[in-house]
Amino acid sequence: MRWASRLGFAVLLAACAAHHPPTPTADAAALALQSGGDSERDAVARRFCDIVLSDQTGRRVHVYEDLVRDQLVVINFMFATCTGTCPGTSANLIRVQRLVGEGVRFISISLDPESDTPEVLAEYARGYGAGPGWSFLTGDEQEIERLRVSLGFFDRDPEVDADRTQHAGILLCGNEPRGRWCHMPSLANPESIAAAVLRLRH
């Protein structure tokens, strides 16, 4: 899979204004979020498109303001009926959460919001043993699609990109206040993922 491993501002901010995936460029292969002033943080906020979703308790949340701002985060896309990468990813992230301890927020966003109601996601979270500080989100399908593309969870091949099972194999990890971000394979060794997440603290 030829994933964009880093995010270019020009492409990704445009994605927030459009309702279809952008054509990735060489710049879209780079996550250029360096620590800096408010202008950089504003740009990061715009990548989250001010999207409002519902978590597994039914609470409506602004993804950026309520879950990402001022946080160390691990973000992935999944859906409850997935039989491909999602089960392995969720089990892997349970181990990562235990390794990193408190202070890291986990955010899992459904690619099948029509089926993944808050109740379904709550059951899914319980089934895997997700700990406190882990939000499972669902909501408007078009809004989730905008968010998926704006965060770089897309494939350059439109046919591959149309297959939602392809989008569960990547994690976006970031230290929002310090402007440090990276993409990682979701099925990487959990110790390696945890170490990478903790390095983002510094």
Side-chain angles (χ1 to χ4, degrees):
M1 196 184 307
R2 299 175 299 280
W3 286 96
S5 61
R6 292 167 57 108
L7 310 178
F9 274 153
V11 171
L12 297 172
L13 294 181
C16 286
H19 293 280
H20 54 81
T23 301
T25 68
D27 288 340
L31 178 65
L33 303 183
Q34 304 299 323
S35 60
D38 289 343
S39 60
E40 285 83 0
R41 294 189 75 180
D42 289 345
V44 173
R46 287 195 296 273
R47 287 195 300 117
F48 284 87
C49 309
D50 195 30
I51 285 174
V52 179
L53 299 175
S54 297
D55 68 13
Q56 69 267 37
T57 71
R59 181 173 70 104
R60 298 280 285 171
V61 294
H62 289 263
V63 177
Y64 177 74
E65 288 294 336
D66 295 332
L67 302 181
V68 176
R69 186 174 178 85
D70 295 324
Q71 300 293 323
L72 183 61
V73 296
V74 176
I75 301 171
N76 76 301
F77 285 79
M78 47 68 69
F79 56 106
T81 58
C82 173
T83 58
T85 305
C86 301
T89 294
S90 296
N92 218 26
L93 289 179
I94 291 293
R95 296 176 63 188
V96 173
Q97 187 181 40
R98 292 170 181 167
L99 287 167
V100 299
E102 297 180 357
V104 179
R105 183 180 294 280
F106 288 74
I107 302 169
S108 294
I109 304 167
S110 175
L111 292 165
D112 184 16
E114 184 174 349
S115 299
D116 287 348
T117 63
E119 293 78 14
V120 167
L121 291 179
E123 183 177 353
Y124 184 91
R126 285 193 298 270
Y128 278 93
W134 194 331
S135 298
F136 289 79
L137 304 180
T138 188
D140 181 81
E141 185 172 3
Q142 289 188 346
E143 292 287 88
I144 289 174
E145 182 70 0
R146 290 172 61 208
L147 184 60
R148 176 182 73 83
V149 173
S150 75
L151 295 182
F153 289 79
F154 61 89
D155 195 278
R156 297 174 188 273
D157 183 334
E159 292 187 7
V160 174
D161 192 66
D163 179 3
R164 66 188 175 195
T165 65
Q166 299 294 322
H167 307 308
I170 297 292
L171 306 174
L172 176 61
C173 309
N175 181 328
E176 189 278 335
R178 292 181 64 86
R180 302 185 65 195
W181 298 84
C182 70
H183 276 131
M184 295 189 66
S186 64
L187 295 179
N189 182 289
E191 287 78 11
S192 298
I193 296 173
V197 171
L198 293 176
R199 280 196 299 271
L200 292 172
R201 280 180 170 164
H202 307 294

